[in-house]
Amino acid sequence: MPVKSNIKEKLRDILLGCLQRVADNNNIHLDGIDFVEIDRPANFEHGDYATNLPLRITKLFGNNPMAIADQIISEWPDTDFLSEISVAAPGFINFKLEDKWVQAEIGHIIEDGTNFGDNHLDNLEKVMIEFVSVNPTGPVHVGHARGAVIGSSLANIMSAAGYAVTREYYINDAGNQMQLFFESVLARYHELLGSSYQLPEGGYQGDYIKDVAELLHAEFGESLIGNSDAINEMAKFSTDTMLNAISEDLFELQVEFDNWFSEKSLFGSDEYRDTIGELESKNYLKEMDNALWFVSTILEEEKDNVIVKSTGEPTYFASDIAYHRNKFKTREFDQVIDIWGADHQGHISRLKAAMRALDIDDSKLKILISQMVTLKKGEEVVRASKRTGDFITVKELVDEVGADACRYFFLARSASSQMEFDMELAKKTSNENPVFYIQYAHARIQNILALATENQIDWEQADLALLNNIHELNLIKALLRLPEVIHQVADSLEPHHMPHYALELASYAHAFYEHCRVISSDPNDEAITKSRLRLIQAAQVVFGKCLNLMGMNAPDRM
RNA sequence: GCCCCAGUAACUCAGUGGAUAGAGUGACUGCCUUCUAAGCAGUAGGUCGCAGGUUCGAAUCCUGCCUGGGGUACCA
């Protein structure tokens, strides 16, 4: 089993123990001790890790922070991984890692291999991450790409963090947008055959509708004209065609799913009926103006919401309640993460209210909003609208910019910030992109390892204590942070920390490369050569893992 | 009107209660006879939107305001 070294966790455990002993000595009762934070100081002179704990408990202890800090470190047990524990004004405790311990960790990284950095939780939690879930009425466009990248990387990272993750795509294959889509396809189909058919009001106009119509013609010939019996087959064919296209485009972006869940299936089974029944029996429903309403105002919502329209059709909200009830009650997920576009933001609060109505703990439903992407081509802002057919698809974006750069850019920004994506800039400066900086570090390492193998150097046994200059130690310490970053991302649901970490790691790797010659022709350097090969083998493990978690390639040469 | 998100270097963005606010790009200076210069080393660049407040300490929390985006459907 991996779990060798989450340094922060180690420090936190020891710190909590010391804190408890100090509290006992002073007859102080500790209740909430969830405020123990271990940070990495900005200034390296303050050590490798630090805590502000003494500053935060002055009131509880009725003492000044420096005195508390002294008491805490006087309780510190013997540890092999620290070389120095010191108190600094106004009340920080700073920790320096022991070089010998740091050097020896290289062996653990190599031993763990692709499992390095994985966390293992005591209880295996079932987590569903639902993302993209674009209506199968058109291709995936740029706005969706951001959620797709965030969702897929978060899934990878949470999986590494020890959760049992299911990646799901919710297919909105019911409702009137689908009807509009079918009508639009039929209109193009008739047009193709020289027959007349009215394109419906607000119908879809993109060229891809014509493509579907042509495929429809290839499949069904002219048999659909005036044949209303064939509408179901036609609908299924059109939907499947779109879903295949969506799936293929997402695959190009390195986005895949474990499960595709059909909205329609909620109506085929009893899920929808049971959901309405449960809301009914708990008195959350009322009839008004021939429609059925969810009385969310009981749950402190601003307004009530229609569940079943006066036409008798369920609203999107209705099936979404049934869908989320299915996630929690039928499939028993411990945690459900939905990744939505900013235009669905207003839906959060009422869906959570619906969960409470069904006696589901709504804190287990986490909704991440991926903010708007403004797509630019130079100075020109590209508006995306499916209905007018004027949009940049994911496919176009990936073809132009490349999946790796695309993923990196979407991933590096926090989901809650709106962002600009300038395609011309991304293309033009692609050689200077951070993504290449990271991949280049990996490629350089691979190149040295390949050369060492070619030269038949055996670096299995090496004296790691030789790795004692600043560049070597910085690099190893950076490698050892991967488990912390994985933990941080899974905990905060903020995958953007991963690319930032990767960039910092690459910076240490390049500095090492520049200052530390690995393969030397001087026979006197044999020992350090082996040690450094050992180091970069560990680095290769971490770069590979990191890029893999982000869904990016780790090229051997560039 | 109300709700959500954002405003940090010339540009794109990190940092969300701690120590001297960071990175990439762009600008400027150096560095290739040795494992890839898609690199390294350095310089310049800041009223953290504005104004109050909270405390030992605020870019970070609270209040108000300004600016930009999104939402506020018997659309999804």
Side-chain angles (χ1 to χ4, degrees):
Chain A
M1 272 296 169
V3 191
K4 289 292 191 325
S5 49
N6 187 328
I7 298 168
K8 269 193 191 180
E9 290 299 313
K10 270 174 123 144
L11 284 170
R12 186 177 333 222
D13 287 349
I14 299 173
L15 193 58
L16 279 172
C18 296
L19 178 66
Q20 187 63 58
R21 284 191 290 280
V22 172
D24 290 347
N25 294 345
N26 292 284
N27 285 318
I28 289 166
H29 182 62
L30 293 174
D31 309 312
I33 41 171
D34 55 340
F35 45 72
V36 175
E37 291 294 332
I38 308 288
D39 299 311
R40 296 196 329 114
N43 185 340
F44 67 92
E45 284 170 14
H46 295 136
D48 297 303
Y49 291 87
T51 183
N52 60 3
L53 180 67
L55 286 160
R56 306 188 62 169
I57 55 175
T58 49
K59 277 192 187 133
L60 184 61
F61 279 69
N63 203 341
N64 73 69
M66 294 295 280
I68 297 171
D70 283 332
Q71 288 184 45
I72 289 175
I73 65 170
S74 72
E75 294 291 337
W76 203 270
D78 277 342
T79 46
D80 62 342
F81 70 107
L82 295 174
S83 64
E84 194 183 325
I85 306 159
S86 56
V87 173
F92 295 99
I93 302 175
N94 295 328
F95 306 98
K96 279 202 168 88
L97 294 173
E98 168 63 47
D99 290 351
K100 274 197 177 57
W101 181 85
V102 169
Q103 291 151 348
E105 282 298 290
I106 287 174
H108 292 142
I109 296 174
I110 294 170
E111 205 175 296
D112 287 356
T114 53
N115 293 324
F116 176 70
D118 290 356
N119 298 182
H120 291 268
L121 303 175
D122 296 340
N123 300 311
L124 190 63
E125 246 188 76
K126 275 179 72 179
V127 177
M128 169 189 290
I129 304 183
E130 183 225 318
F131 57 111
V132 189
S133 300
V134 178
N135 279 6
T137 56
V140 191
H141 64 70
V142 162
H144 304 123
R146 185 177 191 186
V149 168
I150 291 171
S152 59
S153 292
L154 184 60
N156 293 343
I157 295 166
M158 288 193 78
S159 192
Y163 295 89
V165 178
T166 299
R167 301 155 173 85
E168 185 153 295
Y169 188 114
Y170 180 53
I171 310 165
N172 293 121
D173 52 3
N176 56 20
Q177 290 302 319
M178 286 309 285
Q179 286 310 316
L180 265 181
F181 169 66
F182 297 145
E183 293 286 321
S184 306
V185 172
L186 275 177
R188 292 300 186 194
Y189 169 80
H190 281 79
E191 185 182 277
L192 200 65
L193 298 172
S195 169
S196 80
Y197 193 98
Q198 188 62 45
L199 184 72
E201 181 85 10
Y204 293 91
Q205 291 173 18
D207 284 343
Y208 67 92
I209 296 287
K210 291 180 188 168
D211 299 340
V212 178
E214 276 173 28
L215 290 168
L216 204 58
H217 178 229
E219 179 75 12
F220 294 95
E222 300 185 5
S223 68
L224 296 178
I225 293 186
N227 180 359
S228 55
D229 293 343
I231 187 73
N232 283 340
E233 272 185 83
M234 173 272 162
K236 185 177 185 318
F237 180 86
S238 304
T239 307
D240 289 349
T241 302
M242 271 337 299
L243 282 174
N244 282 338
I246 288 169
S247 166
E248 280 169 22
D249 288 357
L250 289 172
F251 183 76
E252 293 300 311
L253 192 60
Q254 300 297 309
V255 175
E256 291 182 83
F257 293 90
D258 303 308
N259 195 35
W260 295 68
F261 189 98
S262 154
E263 179 184 6
K264 258 166 118 176
S265 73
L266 293 166
F267 300 99
S269 67
D270 293 335
E271 299 269 1
Y272 173 75
R273 210 188 55 203
D274 292 351
T275 302
I276 298 298
E278 189 174 342
L279 288 173
E280 173 83 65
S281 72
K282 289 176 173 161
N283 289 320
Y284 283 110
L285 300 183
K286 72 168 180 194
E287 272 194 65
M288 195 174 76
D289 302 333
N290 285 326
L292 189 62
W293 295 69
F294 171 49
V295 192
S296 29
T297 44
I298 299 174
L299 296 155
E300 295 175 340
E301 282 296 285
E302 268 182 36
K303 57 191 189 60
D304 297 333
N305 292 279
V306 172
I307 294 275
V308 181
K309 304 181 211 172
S310 52
T311 58
E313 298 165 55
T315 59
Y316 166 82
F317 183 40
S319 42
D320 220 20
I321 297 173
Y323 175 44
H324 284 82
R325 181 177 175 276
N326 166 281
K327 290 179 179 179
F328 284 108
K329 290 198 170 176
T330 307
R331 289 191 279 169
E332 298 181 320
F333 281 96
D334 300 305
Q335 196 183 146
V336 170
I337 300 167
D338 290 354
I339 298 175
W340 294 351
D343 53 340
H344 284 57
Q345 170 265 124
H347 186 58
I348 297 175
S349 156
R350 63 177 194 239
L351 182 61
K352 284 187 167 252
M355 294 300 101
R356 294 199 296 279
L358 295 169
D359 297 322
I360 293 165
D361 177 359
D362 69 355
S363 69
K364 291 178 173 177
L365 173 62
K366 309 213 170 116
I367 296 169
L368 303 187
I369 293 297
S370 91
Q371 281 292 339
M372 293 284 160
V373 176
T374 306
L375 191 69
K376 286 179 136 182
K377 278 190 161 177
E379 289 301 302
E380 181 198 352
V381 174
V382 183
R383 296 262 167 219
S385 163
K386 243 201 291 190
R387 252 161 261 184
T388 59
D390 174 27
F391 53 83
I392 303 285
T393 62
V394 161
K395 186 172 167 37
E396 288 169 306
L397 187 70
V398 171
D399 286 351
E400 276 198 61
V401 178
D404 286 341
C406 201
R407 289 192 66 100
Y408 183 86
F409 273 108
F410 282 128
L411 208 53
R413 277 102 180 97
S414 73
S416 60
S417 299
Q418 289 159 226
M419 64 172 283
E420 245 177 46
F421 198 116
D422 185 334
M423 292 174 73
E424 275 184 15
L425 191 70
K427 264 165 44 184
K428 190 167 61 183
T429 65
S430 64
N431 280 359
E432 285 139 25
N433 268 336
V435 59
F436 291 96
Y437 183 80
I438 297 164
Q439 291 178 323
Y440 187 46
H442 180 266
R444 278 178 145 183
I445 287 167
Q446 284 293 54
N447 197 51
I448 300 173
L449 290 171
L451 189 65
T453 305
E454 200 178 297
N455 293 354
Q456 298 184 320
I457 302 173
D458 176 10
W459 66 89
E460 194 77 23
Q461 303 299 322
D463 181 5
L464 297 175
L466 297 175
L467 300 171
N468 53 18
N469 76 41
I470 186 71
H471 301 290
E472 294 160 336
L473 288 168
N474 279 347
L475 179 55
I476 309 170
K477 287 175 186 175
L479 298 176
L480 292 175
R481 280 178 48 217
L482 180 65
E484 295 163 21
V485 177
I486 288 174
H487 178 83
Q488 183 190 13
V489 169
D491 205 48
S492 64
L493 307 183
E494 291 175 343
H496 71 268
H497 298 301
M498 189 57 73
H500 287 277
Y501 164 68
L503 198 62
E504 199 180 329
L505 189 62
S507 153
Y508 286 120
H510 284 303
F512 165 81
Y513 183 96
E514 201 69 26
H515 296 103
C516 305
R517 178 82 199 173
V518 177
I519 296 176
S520 166
S521 49
D522 185 343
N524 294 328
D525 291 337
E526 194 184 327
I528 188 72
T529 289
K530 288 184 175 183
S531 310
R532 285 176 174 169
L533 282 168
R534 199 86 176 133
L535 168 55
I536 63 169
Q537 190 182 348
Q540 191 274 325
V541 165
V542 177
F543 273 107
K545 176 92 180 189
C546 212
L547 287 163
N548 182 262
L549 290 172
M550 295 191 287
M552 291 165 59
N553 287 299
D556 289 344
R557 51 182 58 249
M558 290 172 69

